[in-house]
Amino acid sequence: MSAFARIRALAYVFAPARSLASARAFALAFALACALALAALVAVPAAWAEEGPDPSNQVNPQQLPDSSFIYDTSISELETADSYLDGQTVQVTGEVVGDRINAELDFDHCWITLEATDGSFAEVPVLTTLAATSVIDTYGAYGKRGTVLQVRGTFNLSCPDHAGLSDLHASHVSLVSKGAAVREAPDALRFVPGVLLVLAGLALVLVFRHMRESRR
């Protein structure tokens, strides 16, 4: 049985009316709908094949590497970094320690030192603007916990502008936490070495006096 004959037989079954004329009309409409659907299924893949790949989505082998990717790293990793991070945009978090030093021949910039907060005591000098340092309320020192900053900028393994110094040229500085005064309770164990040295000195004095008295 041909495909059209099968469609016509189905039309006789599902025709809305039982007359022969209505069944034929329904069969013709049903066959036309099937033909249009089949043509659409054939035409769509052919259109996709003729369209081809999007030329704007091509890989350019001549494109130079882009350093706009931000490496969220740590100060201790920068201290031991190799040439891979040289010239890359990095982001670090650290405590401001020491003092602010004005940059030579550049009155709008200054140097600050960031120390790692992971206990490694690693440091990195940061060149930033004077305006960016307005968020610093405390510079870390004995009895003071410095302001913690998040700094994003370009890392130079051997900066040609600053005598080969490994530094970070900041492009963005944000506050993480404010500094504060730190009061440490006296530790009695720190006095033990001094007390032992004093006792050892007294013992040597007594021994020396005893040896001098015995010679008389």
Side-chain angles (χ1 to χ4, degrees):
M1 182 182 293
S2 63
F4 183 76
R6 292 178 182 176
I7 293 173
R8 185 173 60 184
L10 290 174
Y12 285 132
V13 176
F14 296 104
R18 293 297 179 180
S19 64
L20 182 61
S22 62
R24 287 178 178 177
F26 183 78
L28 181 60
F30 188 74
L32 182 59
C34 290
L36 291 176
L38 182 61
L41 291 175
V42 174
V44 170
W48 287 348
E50 292 177 359
E51 187 175 324
D54 185 3
S56 62
N57 197 25
Q58 302 264 340
V59 176
N60 182 10
Q62 303 298 327
Q63 183 176 357
L64 296 176
D66 184 11
S67 62
S68 60
F69 181 82
I70 299 175
Y71 290 89
D72 197 358
T73 182
S74 64
I75 297 176
S76 57
E77 290 178 351
L78 291 184
E79 193 173 60
T80 59
D82 53 17
S83 58
Y84 178 74
L85 287 178
D86 186 28
Q88 299 289 351
T89 301
V90 300
Q91 183 170 272
V92 296
T93 301
E95 176 188 351
V96 184
V97 297
D99 296 313
R100 186 181 69 183
I101 302 175
N102 294 329
E104 296 182 0
L105 304 178
D106 189 351
F107 301 105
D108 294 329
H109 288 76
C110 64
W111 292 94
I112 59 175
T113 302
L114 283 187
E115 184 179 270
T117 57
D118 56 5
S120 63
F121 299 103
E123 296 179 347
V124 61
V126 178
L127 179 67
T128 185
T129 61
L130 289 172
T133 61
S134 60
V135 297
I136 303 174
D137 61 349
T138 307
Y139 288 84
Y142 178 76
K144 295 181 180 179
R145 183 178 66 251
T147 306
V148 178
L149 301 178
Q150 184 182 71
V151 177
R152 181 169 68 245
T154 303
F155 174 69
N156 298 295
L157 186 61
S158 180
C159 183
D161 298 329
H162 301 106
L165 177 70
S166 292
D167 59 15
L168 178 60
H169 293 189
S171 58
H172 180 74
V173 176
S174 59
L175 176 66
V176 176
S177 63
K178 295 183 178 181
V182 179
R183 295 183 179 179
E184 296 183 0
D187 188 0
L189 294 177
R190 294 183 178 181
F191 295 96
V192 172
V195 173
L196 292 177
L197 289 175
V198 171
L199 293 177
L202 291 176
L204 290 174
V205 170
L206 293 176
V207 170
F208 177 75
R209 291 185 61 180
H210 176 72
M211 293 176 61
R212 187 174 63 176
E213 291 293 333
S214 62
R215 289 180 180 179
R216 293 180 178 179

